Amino acid sequence: MTIDTFANPWPPREDVAITSVRAVATAPDGTALVVVRVDTNVPGLYGLGCATFTQRWKAVVSFVNDHLARLLVGRYPGDIGDLTRLAAFTGYWRGGPVTNNAISGIDQALWDIAGKRAGMPVHELLGGKVRAAADTYLHAAGRTVDEVIEDAQRLIERGQRHVRLQMSTPGGGGYGAPAVPTEYPDAPYRNGWSARDYLRRTPALFEAARDKLPDHIELLHDVHSRLTPKEAVWLARALEPYRLFFLEDVLAPEHWDRLPEVRAASPVPIAVGELTTSLQDAVRLVRDGGVDFIRSHVSDIGGLTNARKVADLAELCGVRTAWHGPGDTSPIGAAANVALDVTSAAFGIQEGHVYSERVHEVFPGTLRIEDGWLYPNEAPGWGIDLDEAAAAKYPAELSGHDAWAAGVRRPDGALEAP
């Protein structure tokens, strides 16, 4: 066998250049997904990257199309670090979720191109697998304890070993669960959400879950950033008998400086980070002892390149990864999560999402959860494409999801975190 057998099918560096950069928005499941496509002068060689910031998707699309595209056309797509730094630094005032999602779309698209040029999946470019697949958790929810348990049992029957439990509370504060009627008819805001009632109800849910679900099933819970530090410690201690895999987002980002003391007092592992909007935010959570699991939304911190740095730091600090991965992560973003999962020794768990067949139509190659596991594609790059004709059938719109955060208030009328 001669060395020519391994010749790269793509032209050398001096013959490859970016010819266009554009954002595509689509909503096959009603949630706006933004994907960046980077084309080159080589026929058939292009890349796709996730830039999904659902609540501000139009701003991301404009940022990519009107500001970043003109910086990148004509440049060599293999200089991923240089091009993403160029995109970050040319605005002078930098950072934030709009900027970072736009950069993420470019970053991940360039990794896709690199994988296609090398004839390798992205996870091999990152050093190859340290595990075959990523274990996942899915969300069980309901209006009552019994409804939540039934939903969890359905997921367990599908092969899930990790299940997040969320139960309704009046006022919409039972994040991820259906709305239920008010219990505060005489309050200034009659459909308000009460932290004290939430703290009372939640341990009862997990007591029932441990009684009715198989003992080996790992249980998780998302507070969604609505507690004070003292309330967070109280909840963590109340949940200690039920051996949670982790307790998620106990404090709002404004109070993340208090996380180390909450974590030190908590018998339950603490998972935080989906609201990080920069690499530096994520680094501080890992470095300063605030988390057991780092849960950043990869596109919100600038893409695969930055997330890989966080994973490396997490490994050094004894922190595990649990990348954010709900339905407002595009299938490209989900593939990036899994590439990190299977290549990092710091992996802890992966939030999963079951995409509809409409999403699979728009994004051929979208990963499917198999018995609770996510396996990466083995095709070059991400192994996922974008059917723009199918995407056009599901246009992204400024819908109620863009304003969903305005609905949670306390009984006295004070606006609460989303």
Side-chain angles (χ1 to χ4, degrees), residues 388-400:
E388 295 197 45
K393 296 193 304 185
Y394 309 105
E397 298 176 352
L398 292 174
S399 63

Side-chain angles (χ1 to χ4, degrees), residues 210-227:
R210 274 292 171 230
D211 180 55
K212 297 180 180 180
L213 297 178
D215 194 57
H216 72 280
I217 297 299
E218 299 285 0
L219 304 179
L220 304 83
H221 181 67
D222 185 0
V223 176
H224 226 241
S225 307
R226 295 197 183 103
L227 298 180

Side-chain angles (χ1 to χ4, degrees), residues 43-99:
L45 180 59
Y46 61 89
L48 301 171
C50 182
T52 300
F53 177 13
T54 297
Q55 292 80 21
R56 299 292 184 268
W57 65 268
K58 276 201 168 187
V60 176
V61 169
S62 176
F63 200 117
V64 171
N65 293 344
D66 299 332
H67 298 282
L68 297 185
R70 60 193 177 88
L71 295 175
L72 303 179
V73 170
R75 299 180 185 271
Y76 174 60
D79 292 333
I80 300 174
D82 185 63
L83 295 181
T84 53
R85 285 169 64 83
L86 175 68
F89 293 162
T90 52
Y92 187 58
W93 284 279
R94 51 191 181 262
V98 172
T99 296

Side-chain angles (χ1 to χ4, degrees), residues 137-156 160 162-168 174-178 205-206 209 213 217-222 351-352:
Y137 71 90
L138 292 177
H139 311 153
R143 294 174 178 83
T144 65
V145 169
D146 287 343
E147 285 188 8
V148 178
I149 301 292
E150 289 173 8
D151 200 23
Q153 289 170 332
R154 176 182 61 83
L155 296 177
I156 293 166
Q160 294 297 142
H162 300 73
V163 181
R164 195 186 79 180
L165 305 183
Q166 305 293 133
M167 187 172 68
S168 300
Y175 175 71
L205 168 64
F206 282 88
L213 297 178
I217 297 299
E218 299 285 0
L219 304 179
L220 304 83
H221 181 67
D222 185 0
E351 181 176 16

Side-chain angles (χ1 to χ4, degrees), residues 28-329:
D29 276 348
T31 297
L33 304 175
V34 180
V35 172
V36 172
R37 173 165 169 155
V38 175
D39 284 281
T40 73
N41 59 342
V42 179
L45 180 59
Y46 61 89
L48 301 171
C50 182
T52 300
F53 177 13
T54 297
Q55 292 80 21
R56 299 292 184 268
W57 65 268
K58 276 201 168 187
V60 176
V61 169
S62 176
F63 200 117
V64 171
N65 293 344
D66 299 332
H67 298 282
L68 297 185
R70 60 193 177 88
L71 295 175
L72 303 179
V73 170
R75 299 180 185 271
Y76 174 60
D79 292 333
I80 300 174
D82 185 63
L83 295 181
T84 53
R85 285 169 64 83
L86 175 68
F89 293 162
T90 52
Y92 187 58
W93 284 279
R94 51 191 181 262
V98 172
T99 296
N100 280 327
N101 272 281
I103 292 171
S104 170
I106 291 164
D107 172 77
Q108 292 182 27
L110 296 176
W111 278 101
D112 194 22
I113 289 172
K116 290 172 179 175
R117 293 184 73 205
M120 296 178 179
V122 172
H123 62 260
E124 289 198 19
L125 299 184
L126 299 179
K129 297 177 185 176
V130 297
R131 61 184 51 79
D135 209 349
T136 66
Y137 71 90
L138 292 177
H139 311 153
R143 294 174 178 83
T144 65
V145 169
D146 287 343
E147 285 188 8
V148 178
I149 301 292
E150 289 173 8
D151 200 23
Q153 289 170 332
R154 176 182 61 83
L155 296 177
I156 293 166
E157 290 170 2
R158 290 180 46 178
Q160 294 297 142
R161 290 160 295 280
H162 300 73
V163 181
R164 195 186 79 180
L165 305 183
Q166 305 293 133
M167 187 172 68
S168 300
T169 54
Y175 175 71
V180 293
T182 182
E183 289 188 357
Y184 317 106
D186 299 322
Y189 189 79
R190 65 187 304 272
N191 199 35
W193 175 80
S194 165
R196 302 301 293 177
D197 281 350
Y198 165 77
L199 291 170
R200 174 173 54 83
R201 294 165 187 256
T202 302
L205 168 64
F206 282 88
E207 180 180 19
R210 274 292 171 230
D211 180 55
K212 297 180 180 180
L213 297 178
D215 194 57
H216 72 280
I217 297 299
E218 299 285 0
L219 304 179
L220 304 83
H221 181 67
D222 185 0
V223 176
H224 226 241
S225 307
R226 295 197 183 103
L227 298 180
T228 66
K230 290 294 185 184
E231 289 170 338
V233 171
W234 188 95
L235 179 61
R237 290 179 175 172
L239 293 174
E240 180 179 7
Y242 314 118
R243 310 184 310 279
L244 269 65
F245 187 79
F246 67 54
L247 184 61
E248 178 183 343
D249 283 343
V250 291
L251 302 182
E254 295 81 6
H255 307 300
W256 280 353
D257 61 311
R258 304 286 299 277
L259 277 171
E261 67 184 79
V262 171
R263 182 184 175 219
S266 171
V268 176
I270 298 297
V272 175
E274 71 183 61
L275 292 179
T276 51
T277 55
S278 70
L279 170 62
Q280 291 75 19
D281 281 347
V283 164
R284 281 188 283 269
L285 287 177
V286 173
R287 180 196 64 197
D288 296 347
V291 296
D292 296 285
F293 292 84
I294 182 67
R295 274 193 40 75
S296 296
H297 189 93
V298 167
S299 62
D300 271 347
I301 61 171
L304 179 74
T305 299
N306 282 352
R308 186 185 181 194
K309 296 174 184 177
V310 174
D312 288 343
L313 179 64
E315 180 182 353
L316 295 174
C317 293
V319 170
R320 291 190 281 173
T321 64
W323 306 113
H324 193 228
D328 54 1
T329 302

